[in-house]
Amino acid sequence: MERTQLFDLMGELKLYGMKAAFDEIMATAVKRQHEPQRIVGDLLNAEINEKQARSIKYQLTIAKLPLAKDLDDFQFEGTPINQTLVNDLAGGGFIAQQRNVVLVGGTGTGKTHMAIAIARSCIRSGARGRFYNVVDLVNRLETETRNGRQGRIAEHLTRMDFIVLDELGYLPFAQSGGQLLFHLVSRLYERTSIVVTTNLAFGEWPSVFGDAKMTTALLDRLTHHCDIVETGNDSWRFKSRDDDHAARARTVSATPTSSDGASATAKTRRPKGSKLDADAGRIASSRMLPEN
């Protein structure tokens, strides 16, 4: 059978990986005198690898991750972040155990970066996930309810392996929206892992949801099986900005054409962040409230 005929058949059967690798595999087989079984096996492996690559690309697309971030790009040095724990989370074991993850710390400390990197790593390992900004998700839940379609988003997300809820506490939402988010978390409890990034200690969460009892019940579900990553309060972005300013100032002061040799000193800002306070441990370890 001619090569063009083989390619037509591969295309008809949608064996795109096999088709793309065919020439290279056949050239290697002729050169090294591979047995027919070896050739068929190499072609099948090429097809499997291509399908896996397409699946990962598709899952990364539907996850709606806002940026392409990986842990290799993150600077752990000089931060209080438990790098061993973060690397373990990126391995995806928390999904198999139906555990949740809370990344808590000040603005600019890398919470979203790590959440995205963990999500990308898990998806590459075959998991299915979805990224949401919390306020955007609440708006979607409210729209769904107004349109008489309540529960469809929750039903969809129960088929996911994990979801990321980014920036809890940065912007307020109505108490009705908090109730919808509570019902969603309850629906996903021990079914879909939840990764949350927040700048609030657990004791401050009632200020977002507007109902202390409901918030305690939500935290009870979220922290029942949970890994907590504290990122501290020192903004990496502000530090990087100040380092850049200092470097430019040194350059200016060393330039002969400078009129006064003065250099500006950037003042480091410490954004208001949140450590886990004593209430957090009590809320995370206490599961004595009745189910709502």
Side-chain angles (χ1 to χ4, degrees):
M1 185 175 290
E2 297 292 330
R3 175 178 176 275
T4 54
Q5 293 176 302
L6 289 173
F7 273 29
D8 288 341
L9 291 174
M10 291 178 191
E12 188 173 342
L13 293 172
K14 298 182 179 180
L15 300 175
Y16 303 120
M18 189 180 292
K19 184 177 179 179
F22 180 82
D23 288 336
E24 181 180 353
I25 288 174
M26 293 306 296
T28 302
V30 171
K31 182 178 179 180
R32 299 182 180 179
Q33 297 182 338
H34 287 167
E35 296 291 328
Q37 296 92 330
R38 171 70 181 273
I39 298 172
V40 173
D42 289 344
L43 288 169
L44 292 174
N45 281 327
E47 182 61 30
I48 290 171
N49 291 335
E50 198 274 341
K51 276 183 165 55
Q52 289 176 339
R54 275 193 289 132
S55 176
I56 291 171
K57 182 178 180 180
Y58 173 73
Q59 291 299 332
L60 285 170
T61 299
I62 66 172
K64 303 295 183 183
L65 299 170
L67 298 167
K69 297 287 188 179
D70 293 302
L71 291 182
D72 291 341
D73 306 323
F74 193 86
Q75 296 182 9
F76 289 93
E77 186 178 354
T79 74
I81 299 169
N82 185 337
Q83 183 175 357
T84 301
L85 174 58
V86 173
N87 288 335
D88 182 65
L89 294 171
F94 74 99
I95 295 174
Q97 300 170 8
Q98 296 179 324
R99 297 179 63 83
N100 300 318
V101 180
V102 175
L103 298 105
V104 57
T107 301
T109 55
K111 301 182 298 298
T112 299
H113 183 140
M114 283 187 289
I116 292 173
I118 290 169
R120 283 170 59 85
S121 178
C122 291
I123 290 171
R124 290 193 191 103
S125 297
R128 295 173 298 170
R130 182 69 164 84
F131 181 99
Y132 288 102
N133 175 279
V134 169
V135 174
D136 289 343
L137 176 58
V138 169
N139 289 337
R140 287 171 179 260
L141 292 171
E142 290 181 326
T143 299
E144 176 187 65
T145 300
R146 286 195 301 269
N147 293 337
R149 298 182 176 181
Q150 188 170 358
R152 293 197 177 188
I153 292 176
E155 180 63 29
H156 171 68
L157 294 181
T158 57
R159 295 193 292 270
M160 292 290 176
D161 296 304
F162 71 93
I163 65 169
V164 178
L165 303 181
D166 190 41
E167 296 189 340
L168 176 69
Y170 283 82
L171 292 173
F173 44 78
Q175 186 172 347
S176 60
Q179 292 171 346
L180 292 172
L181 186 58
F182 166 74
H183 288 303
L184 174 63
V185 172
S186 298
R187 182 79 179 277
L188 300 181
Y189 177 58
E190 294 189 329
R191 300 179 68 176
T192 299
S193 293
I194 302 173
V195 180
V196 177
T197 74
T198 180
N199 64 333
L200 301 179
F202 290 148
E204 299 174 283
W205 283 33
S207 64
V208 176
F209 291 92
D211 185 320
K213 184 178 179 181
M214 181 182 71
T215 305
T216 304
L218 181 145
L219 283 170
D220 177 62
R221 290 159 173 76
L222 187 66
T223 62
H224 181 196
H225 311 290
C226 185
D227 293 296
I228 298 171
V229 179
E230 295 189 64
T231 62
N233 296 319
D234 292 328
S235 170
W236 181 85
R237 286 193 291 266
F238 284 134
K239 183 179 183 301
S240 297
R241 181 202 64 182
D242 293 341
D243 289 344
D244 290 343
H245 286 180
R248 285 195 293 269
R250 287 194 295 271
T251 301
V252 170
S253 64
T255 303
T257 56
S258 176
S259 59
D260 55 11
S263 63
T265 301
K267 188 175 181 181
T268 302
R269 288 177 54 190
R270 292 177 62 87
K272 183 179 179 182
S274 50
K275 280 189 174 183
L276 297 181
D277 50 37
D279 291 340
R282 289 195 292 272
I283 293 173
S285 62
S286 172
R287 303 197 307 279
M288 300 181 65
L289 290 176
E291 295 290 328
N292 286 350

